[in-house]
Amino acid sequence: MWPLGAHRNGQGALVVGGVDVRDAARDFGTPLFLLDEADFRARAAAFRVAYDPGRTDIYYAAKAFLCTTIARWAVEEGLGIDVASGGELAVAVAAGVPGERLLLHGNNKSRGEIRRALESGVGRIVVDAPAEVDRIAEVARDMGVRASVLVRVTVGVEAHTHEFIATAHEDQKFGLSLASGAAYDVILRIAGMDVLDFRGLHSHIGSQIFDAAGFEVAAMRLVGLMGELHAEGIEVAELNLGGGMGIAYVSDDDPLEAGAMAKAIESIVDEACARAHLPVPRLAFEPGRAIVGPSAITVYEVGTVKPVELDHGHQRVYVSVDGGMSDNIRTALYDADYTVTLASRVSTAAPMLCRVVGKHCESGDVVVRDAWLPGDLREGDLLAVAATGAYCRSMASQYNYLPRPAVVAARDGNCTVMLRRETEEDLLALDPGAAV
Ligand SMILES: *Cc1c(COP(=O)(O)O)cnc(C)c1O
């Protein structure tokens, strides 16, 4: 759950990337995202190593967490970047990511976003709707370029942690249906257009996936479509199976590690292609959470500790911290579970069951629903929540006008600001009515 090499120092304080969380909290304030650079690089490299670069591309899914530093690290570790909006594209471009390493997603890309992607030399655009074929073709024609596209196929597989559900049809906004023939029709149309270069198929079946079973069903169905296209003389050069590889948020979570997942999926695709007498396509994956999720922790300062009487003489202790749903919406949104620890000291006090909550005006503003923390927890203590690198800062809001936290990289005991803390001046800067 914790970044590689995280440990307690002689004073009992949690150390991440060689940095004592108390020092980081003092220097950068709380809440704070402390991100271990070595951990991020190691996880990115693990994906690069798990899959044979001769046959597989790895794109880091920017939506998990993006800033220019992360984009540079991902590229340095041999990964491309998958972006899903003009804003994510702008950050990747600002980081100097070469266009051919970029892949553009989205179920409603604007003409402006498509144009900027093509101007940056984007490697792949993933078609998500019939109307997008014409939108991309129109922009590409206007610019006098050819666009390399994948077609996102909904294969009727929904993955969620230990289970996946295989269905015949898909009721969701993403992609083009395999079962209805919508994907097939769009590909035939693309194949007849000079300005579009049909490269292959894309599928993304979900998130927090712990084993290869869901990928297997998706891959088998896609290889079926490859066979149908092959009969029409259309070759699928690339198969992008998306992201969704899971991580451990709590000690019970047990995801398959990158190497084992890679071997399982690669052999599934190899065997399916061999059975169908099809050439094996180039593969691609788009992990986000599995790379950046465990790399960062959130450091909060404890404010109030309040026992509340429940029925039958029970008690719940509410521990309020200085952030909450504005820096981690996942508990409220998905009922996500997290691991939290007292980070600024160790305590021998008996543990108490408590609920760690934020400071927002919502009773659903929960950070960790049920946590065991030392009974002597008090104001000023620092708490650390593990595995908050993905979908926390990237989903952060300014609800209640809380300025969004900084993200600081820790490496060998040194800190570097990746995103600075927002200030109240930043918030007021958007408001033309604010007195200047
Ligand atoms: C969200 C998403 C990803 C990344 O998902 P993770 O669960 O973070 O690995 C990759 N590809 C697509 C198309 C996505 O929507």
Side-chain angles (χ1 to χ4, degrees), residues 68 71-72 75 79-81 91-102 120:
T68 55
R72 287 192 195 105
V75 169
L79 276 47
I81 312 264
V91 176
V93 168
V97 178
E100 71 270 14
R101 302 280 282 272
L102 294 173
S120 78

Side-chain angles (χ1 to χ4, degrees), residues 260-319:
M261 188 77 103
K263 278 195 186 62
I265 299 174
E266 282 176 343
S267 59
I268 288 161
V269 172
D270 288 351
E271 285 161 26
C273 288
R275 269 197 304 277
H277 306 289
L278 293 168
V280 178
R282 196 169 172 78
L283 292 178
F285 295 92
E286 303 164 335
R289 185 194 317 269
I291 295 177
V292 77
S295 302
I297 65 167
T298 309
V299 183
Y300 297 106
E301 187 176 300
V302 172
T304 57
V305 179
K306 180 166 69 178
V308 171
E309 300 306 322
L310 308 177
D311 292 342
H312 312 297
H314 292 296
Q315 204 189 49
R316 189 187 322 280
V317 178
Y318 279 89
V319 174

